mmCIF file of all heavy atoms in Angstrom:
data_model
loop_
_atom_site.group_PDB
_atom_site.id
_atom_site.type_symbol
_atom_site.label_atom_id
_atom_site.label_comp_id
_atom_site.label_asym_id
_atom_site.label_seq_id
_atom_site.Cartn_x
_atom_site.Cartn_y
_atom_site.Cartn_z
ATOM 1 N N GLN K 10 104.530 129.133 -73.086
ATOM 2 C CA GLN K 10 103.204 129.866 -73.001
ATOM 3 C C GLN K 10 102.911 130.188 -71.500
ATOM 4 O O GLN K 10 103.456 129.528 -70.567
ATOM 5 C CB GLN K 10 102.073 129.002 -73.543
ATOM 6 C CG GLN K 10 102.267 128.529 -74.926
ATOM 7 C CD GLN K 10 101.075 127.733 -75.391
ATOM 8 O OE1 GLN K 10 100.202 128.116 -76.191
ATOM 9 N NE2 GLN K 10 101.078 126.452 -74.952
ATOM 10 N N LYS K 11 102.043 131.186 -71.328
ATOM 11 C CA LYS K 11 101.670 131.564 -69.967
ATOM 12 C C LYS K 11 100.956 130.361 -69.307
ATOM 13 O O LYS K 11 101.076 130.130 -68.152
ATOM 14 C CB LYS K 11 100.816 132.789 -69.998
ATOM 15 C CG LYS K 11 101.563 134.083 -70.262
ATOM 16 C CD LYS K 11 100.671 135.242 -70.349
ATOM 17 C CE LYS K 11 100.131 135.708 -68.985
ATOM 18 N NZ LYS K 11 101.119 136.366 -68.102
ATOM 19 N N VAL K 12 100.083 129.634 -70.154
ATOM 20 C CA VAL K 12 99.330 128.503 -69.614
ATOM 21 C C VAL K 12 99.499 127.404 -70.613
ATOM 22 O O VAL K 12 99.263 127.429 -71.801
ATOM 23 C CB VAL K 12 97.862 128.858 -69.505
ATOM 24 C CG1 VAL K 12 97.113 127.684 -68.917
ATOM 25 C CG2 VAL K 12 97.650 130.086 -68.617
ATOM 26 N N THR K 13 100.016 126.239 -70.132
ATOM 27 C CA THR K 13 100.085 124.987 -70.886
ATOM 28 C C THR K 13 98.979 124.061 -70.382
ATOM 29 O O THR K 13 98.984 123.800 -69.169
ATOM 30 C CB THR K 13 101.491 124.386 -70.644
ATOM 31 O OG1 THR K 13 102.509 125.277 -71.159
ATOM 32 C CG2 THR K 13 101.516 123.014 -71.458
ATOM 33 N N LYS K 14 98.171 123.582 -71.234
ATOM 34 C CA LYS K 14 97.024 122.807 -70.878
ATOM 35 C C LYS K 14 97.246 121.359 -71.192
ATOM 36 O O LYS K 14 97.792 120.942 -72.174
ATOM 37 C CB LYS K 14 95.783 123.263 -71.691
ATOM 38 C CG LYS K 14 95.430 124.718 -71.368
ATOM 39 C CD LYS K 14 94.397 125.272 -72.396
ATOM 40 C CE LYS K 14 95.035 125.454 -73.718
ATOM 41 N NZ LYS K 14 96.296 126.346 -73.649
ATOM 42 N N ILE K 15 96.829 120.505 -70.193
ATOM 43 C CA ILE K 15 96.943 119.062 -70.252
ATOM 44 C C ILE K 15 95.576 118.410 -70.179
ATOM 45 O O ILE K 15 94.816 118.741 -69.230
ATOM 46 C CB ILE K 15 97.879 118.614 -69.140
ATOM 47 C CG1 ILE K 15 99.218 119.222 -69.116
ATOM 48 C CG2 ILE K 15 98.096 117.004 -69.285
ATOM 49 C CD1 ILE K 15 99.989 118.922 -67.866
ATOM 50 N N GLY K 16 95.218 117.541 -71.071
ATOM 51 C CA GLY K 16 93.857 116.955 -71.034
ATOM 52 C C GLY K 16 93.537 116.162 -72.309
ATOM 53 O O GLY K 16 94.396 116.093 -73.216
ATOM 54 N N LYS K 17 92.343 115.681 -72.353
ATOM 55 C CA LYS K 17 91.995 114.869 -73.550
ATOM 56 C C LYS K 17 91.415 115.684 -74.675
ATOM 57 O O LYS K 17 91.206 115.135 -75.813
ATOM 58 C CB LYS K 17 90.982 113.756 -73.154
ATOM 59 C CG LYS K 17 89.581 114.259 -72.727
ATOM 60 C CD LYS K 17 88.784 113.098 -72.323
ATOM 61 C CE LYS K 17 87.375 113.451 -71.779
ATOM 62 N NZ LYS K 17 86.527 112.285 -71.284
ATOM 63 N N ASP K 18 91.125 116.974 -74.423
ATOM 64 C CA ASP K 18 90.692 117.791 -75.456
ATOM 65 C C ASP K 18 91.732 118.033 -76.520
ATOM 66 O O ASP K 18 92.946 118.193 -76.240
ATOM 67 C CB ASP K 18 90.281 119.237 -74.910
ATOM 68 C CG ASP K 18 89.448 120.104 -75.981
ATOM 69 O OD1 ASP K 18 89.971 120.219 -77.132
ATOM 70 O OD2 ASP K 18 88.367 120.518 -75.616
ATOM 71 N N ALA K 19 91.396 117.910 -77.832
ATOM 72 C CA ALA K 19 92.347 117.983 -78.889
ATOM 73 C C ALA K 19 93.056 119.364 -78.888
ATOM 74 O O ALA K 19 94.270 119.460 -79.506
ATOM 75 C CB ALA K 19 91.743 117.734 -80.266
ATOM 76 N N PHE K 20 92.520 120.390 -78.343
ATOM 77 C CA PHE K 20 93.156 121.746 -78.285
ATOM 78 C C PHE K 20 94.161 121.800 -77.156
ATOM 79 O O PHE K 20 94.840 122.877 -77.026
ATOM 80 C CB PHE K 20 92.115 122.803 -78.099
ATOM 81 C CG PHE K 20 91.308 123.077 -79.352
ATOM 82 C CD1 PHE K 20 90.139 122.491 -79.665
ATOM 83 C CD2 PHE K 20 91.771 123.986 -80.243
ATOM 84 C CE1 PHE K 20 89.419 122.758 -80.811
ATOM 85 C CE2 PHE K 20 91.140 124.312 -81.421
ATOM 86 C CZ PHE K 20 89.954 123.715 -81.721
ATOM 87 N N CYS K 21 94.317 120.818 -76.287
ATOM 88 C CA CYS K 21 95.232 120.903 -75.245
ATOM 89 C C CYS K 21 96.703 120.741 -75.771
ATOM 90 O O CYS K 21 96.913 120.183 -76.879
ATOM 91 C CB CYS K 21 95.046 119.800 -74.174
ATOM 92 S SG CYS K 21 93.647 120.028 -73.083
ATOM 93 N N ASP K 22 97.604 121.323 -75.116
ATOM 94 C CA ASP K 22 99.035 121.319 -75.516
ATOM 95 C C ASP K 22 99.574 119.895 -75.282
ATOM 96 O O ASP K 22 100.447 119.482 -76.100
ATOM 97 C CB ASP K 22 99.858 122.370 -74.784
ATOM 98 C CG ASP K 22 99.274 123.731 -74.902
ATOM 99 O OD1 ASP K 22 99.300 124.274 -76.028
ATOM 100 O OD2 ASP K 22 98.692 124.232 -73.886
ATOM 101 N N ILE K 23 99.216 119.191 -74.259
ATOM 102 C CA ILE K 23 99.609 117.869 -73.999
ATOM 103 C C ILE K 23 98.391 117.027 -73.924
ATOM 104 O O ILE K 23 97.554 117.214 -73.024
ATOM 105 C CB ILE K 23 100.436 117.707 -72.638
ATOM 106 C CG1 ILE K 23 101.730 118.633 -72.781
ATOM 107 C CG2 ILE K 23 100.744 116.230 -72.392
ATOM 108 C CD1 ILE K 23 102.509 118.599 -71.495
ATOM 109 N N VAL K 24 98.121 116.214 -74.938
ATOM 110 C CA VAL K 24 96.856 115.425 -74.933
ATOM 111 C C VAL K 24 97.063 114.082 -74.251
ATOM 112 O O VAL K 24 98.079 113.287 -74.544
ATOM 113 C CB VAL K 24 96.449 115.244 -76.458
ATOM 114 C CG1 VAL K 24 95.215 114.362 -76.525
ATOM 115 C CG2 VAL K 24 96.190 116.580 -77.114
ATOM 116 N N VAL K 25 96.175 113.821 -73.341
ATOM 117 C CA VAL K 25 96.241 112.513 -72.597
ATOM 118 C C VAL K 25 94.909 111.839 -72.813
ATOM 119 O O VAL K 25 93.834 112.379 -72.536
ATOM 120 C CB VAL K 25 96.470 112.772 -71.069
ATOM 121 C CG1 VAL K 25 96.498 111.401 -70.348
ATOM 122 C CG2 VAL K 25 97.700 113.504 -70.820
ATOM 123 N N LYS K 26 94.851 110.648 -73.362
ATOM 124 C CA LYS K 26 93.668 109.900 -73.661
ATOM 125 C C LYS K 26 93.166 109.115 -72.521
ATOM 126 O O LYS K 26 93.915 108.787 -71.623
ATOM 127 C CB LYS K 26 93.895 109.003 -74.920
ATOM 128 C CG LYS K 26 94.242 109.795 -76.187
ATOM 129 C CD LYS K 26 94.370 108.919 -77.396
ATOM 130 C CE LYS K 26 94.704 109.648 -78.600
ATOM 131 N NZ LYS K 26 94.797 108.775 -79.758
ATOM 132 N N GLY K 27 91.838 108.854 -72.542
ATOM 133 C CA GLY K 27 91.236 107.995 -71.424
ATOM 134 C C GLY K 27 89.912 108.647 -70.939
ATOM 135 O O GLY K 27 89.894 109.939 -70.872
ATOM 136 N N TRP K 28 88.980 107.843 -70.720
ATOM 137 C CA TRP K 28 87.617 108.397 -70.318
ATOM 138 C C TRP K 28 87.673 109.082 -68.980
ATOM 139 O O TRP K 28 86.853 109.927 -68.662
ATOM 140 C CB TRP K 28 86.549 107.358 -70.303
ATOM 141 C CG TRP K 28 86.680 106.283 -69.312
ATOM 142 C CD1 TRP K 28 87.358 105.112 -69.364
ATOM 143 C CD2 TRP K 28 86.014 106.300 -67.968
ATOM 144 N NE1 TRP K 28 87.177 104.417 -68.183
ATOM 145 C CE2 TRP K 28 86.411 105.148 -67.383
ATOM 146 C CE3 TRP K 28 85.154 107.240 -67.348
ATOM 147 C CZ2 TRP K 28 85.952 104.770 -66.069
ATOM 148 C CZ3 TRP K 28 84.717 107.010 -66.093
ATOM 149 C CH2 TRP K 28 85.131 105.731 -65.486
ATOM 150 N N LYS K 29 88.653 108.708 -68.098
ATOM 151 C CA LYS K 29 88.744 109.324 -66.731
ATOM 152 C C LYS K 29 89.477 110.687 -66.724
ATOM 153 O O LYS K 29 89.433 111.361 -65.791
ATOM 154 C CB LYS K 29 89.387 108.334 -65.820
ATOM 155 C CG LYS K 29 88.665 107.165 -65.437
ATOM 156 C CD LYS K 29 89.378 106.353 -64.382
ATOM 157 C CE LYS K 29 88.556 105.141 -63.919
ATOM 158 N NZ LYS K 29 89.265 104.396 -62.970
ATOM 159 N N ILE K 30 90.010 111.031 -67.905
ATOM 160 C CA ILE K 30 90.760 112.281 -68.089
ATOM 161 C C ILE K 30 89.869 113.433 -68.346
ATOM 162 O O ILE K 30 89.050 113.300 -69.247
ATOM 163 C CB ILE K 30 91.883 112.156 -69.145
ATOM 164 C CG1 ILE K 30 92.734 110.865 -68.815
ATOM 165 C CG2 ILE K 30 92.745 113.437 -69.150
ATOM 166 C CD1 ILE K 30 93.498 110.931 -67.558
ATOM 167 N N GLY K 31 89.986 114.554 -67.746
ATOM 168 C CA GLY K 31 89.122 115.729 -68.020
ATOM 169 C C GLY K 31 89.566 116.403 -69.317
ATOM 170 O O GLY K 31 90.676 116.232 -69.795
ATOM 171 N N LYS K 32 88.600 117.088 -69.929
ATOM 172 C CA LYS K 32 88.984 117.818 -71.137
ATOM 173 C C LYS K 32 90.175 118.711 -71.001
ATOM 174 O O LYS K 32 91.016 118.733 -71.817
ATOM 175 C CB LYS K 32 87.685 118.626 -71.638
ATOM 176 C CG LYS K 32 86.565 117.774 -72.169
ATOM 177 C CD LYS K 32 85.512 118.722 -72.742
ATOM 178 C CE LYS K 32 84.396 117.834 -73.428
ATOM 179 N NZ LYS K 32 83.359 118.657 -74.095
ATOM 180 N N THR K 33 90.085 119.513 -69.873
ATOM 181 C CA THR K 33 91.328 120.159 -69.457
ATOM 182 C C THR K 33 91.543 119.574 -68.042
ATOM 183 O O THR K 33 90.944 120.056 -67.013
ATOM 184 C CB THR K 33 91.175 121.695 -69.437
ATOM 185 O OG1 THR K 33 90.808 122.138 -70.733
ATOM 186 C CG2 THR K 33 92.417 122.371 -68.934
ATOM 187 N N ALA K 34 92.391 118.652 -67.955
ATOM 188 C CA ALA K 34 92.638 118.011 -66.627
ATOM 189 C C ALA K 34 93.489 118.807 -65.736
ATOM 190 O O ALA K 34 93.330 118.765 -64.498
ATOM 191 C CB ALA K 34 93.282 116.658 -66.905
ATOM 192 N N ALA K 35 94.467 119.484 -66.307
ATOM 193 C CA ALA K 35 95.434 120.266 -65.474
ATOM 194 C C ALA K 35 96.065 121.346 -66.243
ATOM 195 O O ALA K 35 95.983 121.327 -67.518
ATOM 196 C CB ALA K 35 96.485 119.357 -64.879
ATOM 197 N N THR K 36 96.690 122.284 -65.626
ATOM 198 C CA THR K 36 97.424 123.372 -66.398
ATOM 199 C C THR K 36 98.753 123.588 -65.698
ATOM 200 O O THR K 36 98.866 123.285 -64.444
ATOM 201 C CB THR K 36 96.581 124.713 -66.380
ATOM 202 O OG1 THR K 36 96.430 125.103 -65.032
ATOM 203 C CG2 THR K 36 95.280 124.555 -67.039
ATOM 204 N N ILE K 37 99.636 124.060 -66.428
ATOM 205 C CA ILE K 37 100.998 124.591 -65.840
ATOM 206 C C ILE K 37 101.112 126.075 -66.262
ATOM 207 O O ILE K 37 101.116 126.368 -67.445
ATOM 208 C CB ILE K 37 102.131 123.747 -66.430
ATOM 209 C CG1 ILE K 37 102.032 122.283 -66.117
ATOM 210 C CG2 ILE K 37 103.485 124.303 -65.952
ATOM 211 C CD1 ILE K 37 103.104 121.423 -66.748
ATOM 212 N N SER K 38 101.177 126.910 -65.284
ATOM 213 C CA SER K 38 101.168 128.376 -65.487
ATOM 214 C C SER K 38 102.573 128.844 -65.295
ATOM 215 O O SER K 38 103.294 128.564 -64.322
ATOM 216 C CB SER K 38 100.234 129.070 -64.534
ATOM 217 O OG SER K 38 98.922 128.628 -64.693
ATOM 218 N N ARG K 39 103.034 129.688 -66.258
ATOM 219 C CA ARG K 39 104.361 130.359 -66.135
ATOM 220 C C ARG K 39 104.126 131.690 -65.428
ATOM 221 O O ARG K 39 103.370 132.542 -65.887
ATOM 222 C CB ARG K 39 104.930 130.532 -67.550
ATOM 223 C CG ARG K 39 106.264 131.200 -67.558
ATOM 224 C CD ARG K 39 106.816 131.348 -68.925
ATOM 225 N NE ARG K 39 106.068 132.052 -69.873
ATOM 226 C CZ ARG K 39 106.213 133.317 -70.037
ATOM 227 N NH1 ARG K 39 107.084 134.042 -69.334
ATOM 228 N NH2 ARG K 39 105.449 133.984 -70.967
ATOM 229 N N THR K 40 104.899 131.918 -64.389
ATOM 230 C CA THR K 40 104.763 133.144 -63.647
ATOM 231 C C THR K 40 106.134 133.717 -63.276
ATOM 232 O O THR K 40 107.187 133.025 -63.578
ATOM 233 C CB THR K 40 103.979 132.946 -62.338
ATOM 234 O OG1 THR K 40 104.885 132.310 -61.348
ATOM 235 C CG2 THR K 40 102.733 132.040 -62.479
ATOM 236 N N ARG K 41 106.165 134.858 -62.699
ATOM 237 C CA ARG K 41 107.438 135.476 -62.261
ATOM 238 C C ARG K 41 108.179 134.630 -61.296
ATOM 239 O O ARG K 41 109.355 134.626 -61.104
ATOM 240 C CB ARG K 41 107.155 136.868 -61.690
ATOM 241 C CG ARG K 41 106.718 137.974 -62.650
ATOM 242 C CD ARG K 41 106.534 139.247 -61.949
ATOM 243 N NE ARG K 41 106.073 140.264 -62.794
ATOM 244 C CZ ARG K 41 106.805 141.055 -63.561
ATOM 245 N NH1 ARG K 41 108.191 140.942 -63.522
ATOM 246 N NH2 ARG K 41 106.295 141.948 -64.406
ATOM 247 N N ASP K 42 107.412 133.868 -60.421
ATOM 248 C CA ASP K 42 108.012 133.034 -59.443
ATOM 249 C C ASP K 42 108.278 131.611 -59.844
ATOM 250 O O ASP K 42 108.670 130.759 -59.078
ATOM 251 C CB ASP K 42 107.068 132.962 -58.218
ATOM 252 C CG ASP K 42 107.047 134.312 -57.480
ATOM 253 O OD1 ASP K 42 107.876 135.155 -57.822
ATOM 254 O OD2 ASP K 42 106.247 134.477 -56.610
ATOM 255 N N GLY K 43 108.113 131.294 -61.148
ATOM 256 C CA GLY K 43 108.333 129.927 -61.662
ATOM 257 C C GLY K 43 107.130 129.320 -62.310
ATOM 258 O O GLY K 43 106.285 129.999 -62.803
ATOM 259 N N TYR K 44 107.053 128.044 -62.283
ATOM 260 C CA TYR K 44 105.939 127.235 -62.870
ATOM 261 C C TYR K 44 105.035 126.695 -61.765
ATOM 262 O O TYR K 44 105.535 126.061 -60.864
ATOM 263 C CB TYR K 44 106.476 126.209 -63.831
ATOM 264 C CG TYR K 44 107.066 126.815 -65.033
ATOM 265 C CD1 TYR K 44 108.426 127.217 -65.077
ATOM 266 C CD2 TYR K 44 106.336 126.922 -66.213
ATOM 267 C CE1 TYR K 44 109.015 127.758 -66.243
ATOM 268 C CE2 TYR K 44 106.943 127.440 -67.361
ATOM 269 C CZ TYR K 44 108.232 127.861 -67.381
ATOM 270 O OH TYR K 44 108.739 128.447 -68.508
ATOM 271 N N PHE K 45 103.731 126.755 -61.948
ATOM 272 C CA PHE K 45 102.735 126.206 -61.050
ATOM 273 C C PHE K 45 101.821 125.251 -61.761
ATOM 274 O O PHE K 45 101.233 125.500 -62.752
ATOM 275 C CB PHE K 45 101.925 127.370 -60.377
ATOM 276 C CG PHE K 45 102.659 128.231 -59.397
ATOM 277 C CD1 PHE K 45 103.527 129.197 -59.859
ATOM 278 C CD2 PHE K 45 102.539 127.943 -58.021
ATOM 279 C CE1 PHE K 45 104.160 130.009 -58.980
ATOM 280 C CE2 PHE K 45 103.266 128.705 -57.081
ATOM 281 C CZ PHE K 45 104.112 129.721 -57.561
ATOM 282 N N PHE K 46 101.688 124.082 -61.164
ATOM 283 C CA PHE K 46 100.738 123.060 -61.640
ATOM 284 C C PHE K 46 99.396 123.129 -60.936
ATOM 285 O O PHE K 46 99.372 123.268 -59.690
ATOM 286 C CB PHE K 46 101.377 121.675 -61.408
ATOM 287 C CG PHE K 46 100.610 120.484 -61.931
ATOM 288 C CD1 PHE K 46 100.850 120.031 -63.221
ATOM 289 C CD2 PHE K 46 99.606 119.875 -61.135
ATOM 290 C CE1 PHE K 46 100.091 118.996 -63.711
ATOM 291 C CE2 PHE K 46 98.809 118.852 -61.661
ATOM 292 C CZ PHE K 46 99.048 118.379 -62.859
ATOM 293 N N SER K 47 98.272 123.065 -61.725
ATOM 294 C CA SER K 47 96.937 123.185 -61.183
ATOM 295 C C SER K 47 96.102 122.036 -61.702
ATOM 296 O O SER K 47 96.030 121.830 -62.930
ATOM 297 C CB SER K 47 96.257 124.443 -61.483
ATOM 298 O OG SER K 47 96.969 125.594 -60.928
ATOM 299 N N TYR K 48 95.466 121.227 -60.778
ATOM 300 C CA TYR K 48 94.518 120.195 -61.162
ATOM 301 C C TYR K 48 93.227 120.924 -61.453
ATOM 302 O O TYR K 48 92.788 121.750 -60.646
ATOM 303 C CB TYR K 48 94.386 119.173 -60.066
ATOM 304 C CG TYR K 48 93.170 118.295 -60.121
ATOM 305 C CD1 TYR K 48 92.860 117.591 -61.251
ATOM 306 C CD2 TYR K 48 92.269 118.300 -59.055
ATOM 307 C CE1 TYR K 48 91.717 116.792 -61.334
ATOM 308 C CE2 TYR K 48 91.106 117.555 -59.148
ATOM 309 C CZ TYR K 48 90.876 116.773 -60.219
ATOM 310 O OH TYR K 48 89.704 115.972 -60.326
ATOM 311 N N VAL K 49 92.606 120.621 -62.597
ATOM 312 C CA VAL K 49 91.281 121.290 -62.933
ATOM 313 C C VAL K 49 90.162 120.363 -62.771
ATOM 314 O O VAL K 49 89.247 120.686 -61.971
ATOM 315 C CB VAL K 49 91.386 121.791 -64.407
ATOM 316 C CG1 VAL K 49 90.149 122.476 -64.796
ATOM 317 C CG2 VAL K 49 92.499 122.866 -64.605
ATOM 318 N N ASN K 50 90.140 119.248 -63.508
ATOM 319 C CA ASN K 50 88.961 118.355 -63.395
ATOM 320 C C ASN K 50 89.271 117.052 -63.937
ATOM 321 O O ASN K 50 90.444 116.754 -64.553
ATOM 322 C CB ASN K 50 87.665 118.892 -63.994
ATOM 323 C CG ASN K 50 87.742 119.117 -65.519
ATOM 324 O OD1 ASN K 50 88.773 118.559 -66.066
ATOM 325 N ND2 ASN K 50 86.735 119.738 -66.030
ATOM 326 N N GLY K 51 88.344 116.028 -63.810
ATOM 327 C CA GLY K 51 88.494 114.632 -64.358
ATOM 328 C C GLY K 51 88.613 113.633 -63.147
ATOM 329 O O GLY K 51 88.982 114.028 -62.016
ATOM 330 N N TRP K 52 88.153 112.436 -63.471
ATOM 331 C CA TRP K 52 88.219 111.387 -62.455
ATOM 332 C C TRP K 52 89.575 110.961 -62.120
ATOM 333 O O TRP K 52 89.870 110.552 -60.975
ATOM 334 C CB TRP K 52 87.400 110.225 -62.965
ATOM 335 C CG TRP K 52 85.988 110.413 -63.006
ATOM 336 C CD1 TRP K 52 85.222 110.702 -64.134
ATOM 337 C CD2 TRP K 52 85.038 110.407 -61.883
ATOM 338 N NE1 TRP K 52 83.929 110.850 -63.738
ATOM 339 C CE2 TRP K 52 83.752 110.667 -62.461
ATOM 340 C CE3 TRP K 52 85.180 110.033 -60.549
ATOM 341 C CZ2 TRP K 52 82.617 110.624 -61.599
ATOM 342 C CZ3 TRP K 52 84.061 110.106 -59.750
ATOM 343 C CH2 TRP K 52 82.771 110.389 -60.294
ATOM 344 N N ALA K 53 90.524 111.019 -63.092
ATOM 345 C CA ALA K 53 91.893 110.615 -62.808
ATOM 346 C C ALA K 53 92.674 111.838 -62.307
ATOM 347 O O ALA K 53 93.012 112.752 -63.006
ATOM 348 C CB ALA K 53 92.507 110.171 -64.168
ATOM 349 N N LYS K 54 92.950 111.826 -61.027
ATOM 350 C CA LYS K 54 93.592 112.947 -60.334
ATOM 351 C C LYS K 54 95.091 112.841 -60.552
ATOM 352 O O LYS K 54 95.607 111.749 -60.353
ATOM 353 C CB LYS K 54 93.250 113.000 -58.839
ATOM 354 C CG LYS K 54 91.805 113.329 -58.604
ATOM 355 C CD LYS K 54 91.605 113.490 -57.097
ATOM 356 C CE LYS K 54 90.083 113.971 -56.814
ATOM 357 N NZ LYS K 54 89.895 114.226 -55.371
#
């Protein structure tokens, strides 16, 4: 996918449980130059 979502929301592609985890904690974006990881939110960085 262009954007792979990581977080505790059930709609995320990679679900990580825990109250410190953001609903969408991070994303991995597919681009022409490769893959980029972005921190979005949540107490657990």
Side-chain angles (χ1 to χ4, degrees):
Q10 303 181 103
K11 287 175 73 73
V12 182
T13 298
K14 296 164 293 302
I15 306 170
K17 66 181 178 183
D18 193 305
F20 282 93
C21 286
D22 305 292
I23 298 173
V24 177
V25 180
K26 295 182 179 180
W28 69 270
K29 290 185 177 182
I30 306 298
K32 286 187 175 181
T33 301
T36 61
I37 299 175
S38 298
R39 178 173 65 87
T40 77
R41 289 181 184 272
D42 288 350
Y44 289 84
F45 287 81
F46 182 92
S47 297
Y48 162 56
V49 179
N50 65 9
W52 289 99
K54 292 186 177 181

